[in-house]
Amino acid sequence: MNLTTQAILALSPILVAAILLVKFRWPARRTMPLVYVMTLAIAIFVWGVPWVEGIASTIQGLFITFDILYIIFGAILLLNVLKYSGAITAIRNGFSDISSDRRVQVVIIAWLFGAFIEGAAGFGTPAAIVAPLMLALGFPAMAAVMLGMMVQSTPVTFGAVGTPILVGVTGGLQNPEMTAALAQNGMTFHDYLQLITVNVAIIHGIIGTFIPLFMCAMMTRFFGENKSWKEGLAIWPFAIFGGLAFTIPYLLTGIFLGPEFPSLLGALIGIAIVVTVAKKGILLPKKTWDFPNKDQWPSFWMGGITVDNAPKIPASPAGGQKNEMSIFRAWLPYLLVAVILVISRLPQLPVKSMLLSITVGWENILGTYINAKSTPLYLPGSILIFVVVITFFIHKMKYSDLKKALGESSKMIVGAGFVLVFTIPMVRVYINSGSNLSGLSSMPLAMAEWVAGSVGNIWPLFAPTIGALGAFIAGSNTVSNLMFSLFQFGVAERLAMSGVLIVSLQAVGAAAGNMIAIHNVVAASATVGMLGQEGNILRKTIIPTIYYVLFAGILGIIAVDLLGAFDPITMK
């Protein structure tokens, strides 16, 4: 079987997934079980993977699925608890009085608050939270969804306290051969992952600084009375400042603390700085910008949900309690998440080793070489749930409110869980297919060998687009990284490029692809009553997506051609 045939067969499950999801609009819950079975069949009957190893890879994938779902559940549960305690309402009201200029509101709410929600929860949550918040502040529903989707770019790689790196890249890249190769160079996989984290933070930091300005320009162009890019660009001093207020601490956090914290801490620091500057009127344009009068809005701007002059503090918030919550108390749970995460990740403190001491695993699954392990107490999900318990008391909640939050969160997990139960095992079958009776390279490496021979040294230009394609198909940076990290590493190895750099470009592109991830658009649209308008939104969000992957690719070319790059495995 020649290399082209191998590559086509290896790629076929991904192509089938793309066709069913995009062309035929099948839901992921129907598509992914079929694609999993197809992948397993190709691995066993074409690659010659023993069936027991295929089942062992599936079990290994289920361990990873648990880690992902546990993190998602903790993040969504905390968000729902804050909704029922009235904290989200207090946070919203705290934003509404800062400035009447819609461009300022975009920088603070869509960009910085959206980035914070991404850092804390991830998985499409920012758009689902930011869109209705902006609708409540008087934004057109379509503008709210577009802006909520655009924030799902720079913060996404480190969203859900680092899940796309910690679970996505680790699960998609780590294997015994790589671990052994790193050990020969005196490194651990954790060290290698930190190199990727730093590269990702640098690339995102350069490109993402301009996203707030891009947001403002998109808003004034598509939703302004004059349809003007210039009116959005006029706020460039404040928008660039807002970008830097996030990306500088984001970059420093990635370098010194690791992948869990850049989006979370970058956004917290950015909000504190930018809100202070906005309240003092610093860097703001003299002329305030607003949407045209509401009676001039075309019907497709508006959804089925309207918020007309909503009172700042509802008489009966979700929890049915009188909302007298201070801004500090509303934000306190997220501050606790950030503090506890930092404490639990610092190697100088005993907390990290204590949490890591509790493991659940299966060595040599079914007698194979395949292992699986989870450290549940160390996962961010445990920290988020711990903060939920604290929040229940400090926000003086009722048990009925906590029960409602648990119910809503559990329903969301059931939907996501069914898809991931097939998607992640599929990825592990791909990765472990190198252990076969046919003497073939693993399926991702077969694709990588073909790409390396066909594209050559300009691959860094295309690497982010592959990541974005994976996120578009799967709706997740994490799953895109699981699917393509080993493929990207394989291309780098065959082209004698830095695997760290190419995998970093994959992660950056996968983050950008969230701006066009179909089910993220659907989820955000549903929150403002805009189901059915997904096509119009995607035609807008494809613009910043192209900007992101193009400039990431250009930075990749520059890094390879002009700066050179070292990798302890691919470039000795």
Side-chain angles (χ1 to χ4, degrees):
M1 184 166 54
N2 62 40
L3 185 58
T4 301
T5 303
Q6 290 179 46
I8 291 171
L9 286 169
L11 184 61
S12 58
I14 297 171
L15 288 176
V16 167
I19 291 168
L20 292 178
L21 287 166
V22 179
K23 174 68 176 176
F24 294 100
R25 298 183 181 181
W26 276 30
R29 66 179 182 275
R30 289 176 60 192
T31 300
M32 297 320 296
L34 176 65
V35 173
Y36 162 74
V37 172
M38 183 179 177
T39 304
L40 189 62
I42 291 172
I44 292 172
F45 296 112
V46 180
W47 255 254
V49 173
W51 69 268
V52 70
E53 291 188 6
I55 301 303
S57 296
T58 300
I59 293 170
Q60 184 186 49
L62 292 175
F63 271 80
I64 298 171
T65 302
F66 166 79
D67 287 356
I68 295 175
L69 290 176
Y70 189 42
I71 296 167
I72 297 173
F73 177 74
I76 299 302
L77 177 61
L78 179 58
L79 196 64
N80 282 326
V81 163
L82 294 181
K83 179 180 76 173
Y84 281 102
S85 76
I88 292 296
T89 300
I91 291 170
R92 182 194 74 182
N93 294 341
F95 284 135
S96 62
D97 291 332
I98 295 169
S99 172
S100 60
D101 192 313
R102 299 299 187 178
R103 297 165 298 181
V104 176
Q105 293 176 358
V106 164
V107 174
I108 294 173
I109 300 171
W111 169 244
L112 290 169
F113 183 60
F116 179 80
I117 294 295
E118 177 61 42
F123 298 98
T125 308
I129 296 299
V130 167
L133 176 57
M134 301 188 85
L135 182 72
L137 293 175
F139 283 67
M142 182 172 284
V145 174
M146 180 192 78
L147 294 164
M149 291 300 297
M150 286 180 71
V151 77
Q152 295 184 133
S153 50
T154 311
V156 170
T157 300
F158 304 115
V161 283
T163 300
I165 295 291
L166 295 173
V167 177
V169 173
T170 299
L173 193 60
Q174 190 174 26
N175 57 65
E177 294 81 6
M178 172 175 279
T179 301
L182 287 168
Q184 290 178 356
N185 289 275
M187 292 183 67
T188 65
F189 186 81
H190 179 271
D191 298 328
Y192 197 76
L193 200 66
Q194 181 57 24
L195 292 175
I196 293 171
T197 296
V198 172
N199 275 261
V200 168
I202 291 170
I203 297 167
H204 269 316
I206 294 169
I207 302 171
T209 296
F210 299 96
I211 284 292
L213 183 60
F214 214 134
M215 287 176 161
C216 293
M218 291 275 290
M219 178 179 67
T220 59
R221 168 62 182 83
F222 292 109
F223 299 97
E225 187 174 1
N226 300 319
K227 307 296 182 188
S228 167
W229 294 101
K230 186 178 179 181
E231 289 177 342
L233 296 173
I235 200 172
W236 71 265
F238 183 79
I240 297 295
F241 178 77
L244 290 170
F246 172 75
T247 56
I248 290 175
Y250 169 98
L251 174 59
L252 294 174
T253 304
I255 292 171
F256 295 109
L257 289 179
E260 294 99 332
F261 310 110
S263 297
L264 198 64
L265 296 184
L268 272 175
I269 294 168
I271 288 171
I273 294 171
V274 174
V275 167
T276 301
V277 168
K279 284 183 173 180
K280 293 180 181 295
I282 301 170
L283 299 177
L284 299 184
K286 293 180 180 179
K287 187 175 180 182
T288 299
W289 187 91
D290 202 350
F291 300 106
N293 291 329
K294 202 166 186 177
D295 56 9
Q296 298 177 27
W297 293 3
S299 59
F300 67 87
W301 284 14
M302 296 180 281
I305 299 172
T306 58
V307 183
D308 295 318
N309 300 317
K312 288 185 178 180
I313 299 178
S316 179
Q321 306 163 11
K322 189 178 180 183
N323 189 351
E324 297 177 349
M325 189 173 296
S326 68
I327 291 294
F328 175 77
R329 197 151 64 96
W331 277 99
L332 184 57
Y334 281 128
L335 293 173
L336 287 173
V337 168
V339 170
I340 296 170
L341 277 169
V342 171
I343 291 172
S344 68
R345 266 55 182 173
L346 290 175
Q348 299 90 341
L349 300 177
V351 179
K352 180 176 181 178
S353 58
M354 183 180 68
L355 296 177
L356 286 171
S357 66
I358 306 297
T359 62
V360 178
W362 190 347
E363 297 286 329
N364 306 118
I365 301 172
L366 302 178
T368 68
Y369 70 94
I370 297 170
N371 303 314
K373 184 177 75 171
S374 177
T375 52
L377 293 183
Y378 187 72
L379 290 172
S382 290
I383 293 167
L384 290 162
I385 290 172
F386 177 65
V387 172
V388 164
V389 175
I390 296 174
T391 302
F392 175 79
F393 292 103
I394 63 175
H395 285 186
K396 299 177 181 178
M397 294 179 65
K398 296 178 180 177
Y399 283 103
S400 59
D401 296 333
L402 181 60
K403 185 177 179 181
K404 291 175 187 175
L406 279 166
E408 288 186 16
S409 304
S410 299
K411 287 178 183 177
M412 292 185 69
I413 288 301
V414 169
F418 183 79
V419 175
L420 289 175
V421 157
F422 293 97
T423 303
I424 309 306
M426 177 202 80
V427 171
R428 295 313 299 179
V429 170
Y430 255 102
I431 290 169
N432 293 331
S433 60
S435 175
N436 58 65
L437 303 177
S438 304
L440 299 175
S441 300
S442 68
M443 294 163 73
L445 294 184
M447 290 189 288
E449 288 174 5
W450 183 84
V451 168
S454 304
V455 177
N457 291 330
I458 63 167
W459 179 249
L461 189 63
F462 296 100
T465 302
I466 296 298
L469 177 64
F472 171 69
I473 293 169
S476 166
N477 186 336
T478 300
V479 176
S480 178
N481 289 343
L482 280 163
M483 289 169 61
F484 291 123
S485 288
L486 189 58
F487 161 71
Q488 298 271 21
F489 179 86
V491 174
E493 194 170 32
R494 280 149 185 77
L495 294 174
M497 293 179 180
S498 168
V500 167
L501 174 64
I502 301 302
V503 173
S504 298
L505 292 172
Q506 151 68 33
V508 170
N514 274 253
M515 290 188 278
I516 53 170
I518 294 173
H519 75 242
N520 286 350
V521 176
V522 172
S525 299
T527 65
V528 295
M530 285 211 71
L531 289 174
Q533 292 284 354
E534 293 86 0
N536 285 333
I537 294 163
L538 284 171
R539 279 191 284 273
K540 294 177 175 61
T541 57
I542 189 66
I543 299 171
T545 304
I546 291 171
Y547 154 76
Y548 222 103
V549 298
L550 177 61
F551 276 88
I554 291 170
L555 290 175
I557 290 286
I558 292 170
V560 168
D561 290 347
L562 300 182
L563 304 179
F566 170 79
D567 189 285
I569 300 178
T570 58
M571 300 175 69
K572 300 291 181 66

